[in-house]
């Protein structure tokens, strides 16, 4: 298993306070609003529901009685909750919510490693807009994919993965030869970004194709990852700061 642990930062010139703010907000929401993932009512209120985005209306469903096939025990699963904001804004709120500690930790690790360099090259404000815009586009990609392939339109979608996929794409375009350091079992290896991120994207595509026409593989919204990545590839140079030269 490849676990990213760092990258080259010797040429970074600015402090990535926007990237750290995004990481802090994700952790804050998960702890204080989602209750470490146990506040399902909040999660089902502000996650992206494809049917709500397609219709523009809030959808509330009844609680369901779920039976655990292993233990045989039953428990009540809350239905979709009322959304206290326009449903289209859940494309943003869902970007700061996660399904569990592992989901959060994995996303924040990639954001911490790659986001600072992308912010340095784009500039603080441009980086924030790039992050949010690509996150929204990734959410819309997921919604359209669920609708097109006839999947469950009432399944909530949440997580920063789509926006972070765009950050990885931006990193690939801006720093193709930077080396990302990974922990491979007990060994530390350093791989050029074009290879590391390229392989990551191929993995998303292969798994996404495997999930077409059926349930999402392992509960992962691969269409959102792919959509965010493509959006990042197409948009990063439009947000890139232009270097100004002074004549002497």
């Amino acid at each position: 298993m490849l676990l990213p642990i760092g990258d080259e930062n010797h040429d970074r010139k600015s402090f990535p306070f926007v990237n750290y703010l995004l990481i802090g907000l994700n952790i804050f929401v998960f702890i204080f609003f989602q209750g470490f993932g146990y506040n399902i009512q909040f999660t089902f209120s502000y996650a992206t529901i494809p049917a709500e985005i397609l219709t523009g209306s809030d959808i509330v469903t009844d609680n369901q009685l779920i039976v655990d096939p292993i233990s045989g025990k039953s428990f009540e699963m809350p239905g979709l909750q009322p959304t206290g904001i326009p449903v289209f804004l859940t494309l943003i709120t869902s970007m700061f919510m996660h399904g569990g500690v592992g989901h959060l930790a994995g996303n924040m690790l990639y954001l911490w490693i790659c986001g600072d360099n992308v912010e340095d090259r784009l500039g603080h404000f441009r980086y924030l807009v790039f992050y949010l815009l690509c996150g929204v586009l990734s959410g819309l990609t997921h919604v359209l994919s669920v609708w097109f392939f006839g999947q469950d339109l009432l399944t909530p979608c949440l997580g920063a993965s789509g926006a972070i996929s765009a950050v990885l794409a931006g990193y690939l375009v801006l720093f193709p030869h930077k080396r990302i350091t990974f922990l491979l079992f007990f060994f530390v290896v350093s791989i050029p970004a074009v290879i590391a991120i390229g392989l990551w994207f191929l993995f998303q595509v292969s798994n996404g194709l495997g999930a077409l026409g059926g349930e999402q593989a392992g509960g992962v919204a691969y269409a959102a990852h792919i959509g965010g990545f493509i959006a990042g590839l197409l948009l990063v140079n439009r947000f890139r700061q232009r270097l100004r030269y002074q004549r002497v």
Side-chain angles (χ1 to χ4, degrees):
M1 184 182 74
L2 284 173
L3 178 69
I5 58 176
D7 71 331
E8 298 173 346
N9 285 317
H10 63 274
D11 57 345
R12 197 185 74 201
K13 299 179 176 63
S14 62
F15 183 78
F17 67 86
V18 172
N19 200 56
Y20 291 157
L21 175 62
L22 290 171
I23 293 173
L25 282 173
N26 277 277
I27 295 173
F28 181 85
V29 169
F30 183 71
I31 294 175
F32 294 101
F33 287 94
Q34 289 189 267
F36 290 91
Y38 290 102
N39 189 347
I40 299 178
Q41 287 80 5
F42 177 85
T43 300
F44 283 8
S45 292
Y46 296 101
T48 295
I49 310 299
E52 293 184 345
I53 302 301
L54 292 170
T55 62
S57 58
D58 191 15
I59 297 174
V60 179
T61 59
D62 296 329
N63 297 347
Q64 293 183 340
L65 190 65
I66 306 295
V67 178
D68 188 333
I70 298 177
S71 65
K73 295 182 179 180
S74 60
F75 61 94
E76 191 174 52
M77 173 65 72
L80 299 180
Q81 304 295 304
T83 303
I85 56 176
V87 293
F88 296 112
L89 292 180
T90 61
L91 290 166
I92 295 177
T93 58
S94 63
M95 293 165 53
F96 295 92
M97 300 162 57
H98 289 82
V101 174
H103 188 202
L104 173 69
N107 276 345
M108 294 306 101
L109 180 61
Y110 276 97
L111 186 57
W112 173 68
I113 292 173
C114 296
D116 55 350
N117 289 289
V118 177
E119 179 180 349
D120 184 65
R121 188 61 60 88
L122 300 187
H124 305 303
F125 179 72
R126 288 187 181 93
Y127 175 67
L128 178 61
V129 175
F130 171 78
Y131 182 93
L132 295 175
L133 175 60
C134 290
V136 169
L137 292 175
S138 75
L140 290 174
T141 302
H142 170 72
V143 169
L144 292 177
S145 172
V146 170
W147 168 78
F148 186 80
F149 292 106
Q151 297 171 335
D152 188 358
L153 293 172
L154 295 179
T155 300
C157 178
L158 69 164
S161 303
I164 295 172
S165 297
V167 172
L168 294 179
Y171 192 101
L172 175 63
V173 171
L174 299 173
F175 312 104
H177 303 298
K178 265 187 183 290
R179 302 185 78 86
I180 301 176
T181 304
F182 292 86
L183 183 64
L184 177 60
F185 297 107
F186 299 105
F187 302 95
V188 175
V189 296
S190 185
I191 305 173
V194 66
I195 296 177
I197 297 177
L199 290 175
W200 175 89
F201 180 65
L202 290 177
F203 176 82
Q204 305 306 309
V205 172
S206 63
N207 280 276
L209 290 175
L212 292 182
E215 296 297 323
Q216 297 169 30
V220 179
Y222 287 107
H225 298 185
I226 296 169
F229 192 88
I230 294 174
L233 285 178
L234 296 176
L235 295 176
V236 66
N237 279 324
R238 292 183 176 272
F239 284 87
R240 187 175 182 175
Q241 289 190 114
R242 302 293 180 235
L243 297 178
R244 296 182 179 180
Y245 298 93
Q246 185 177 9
R247 293 183 179 180
V248 295

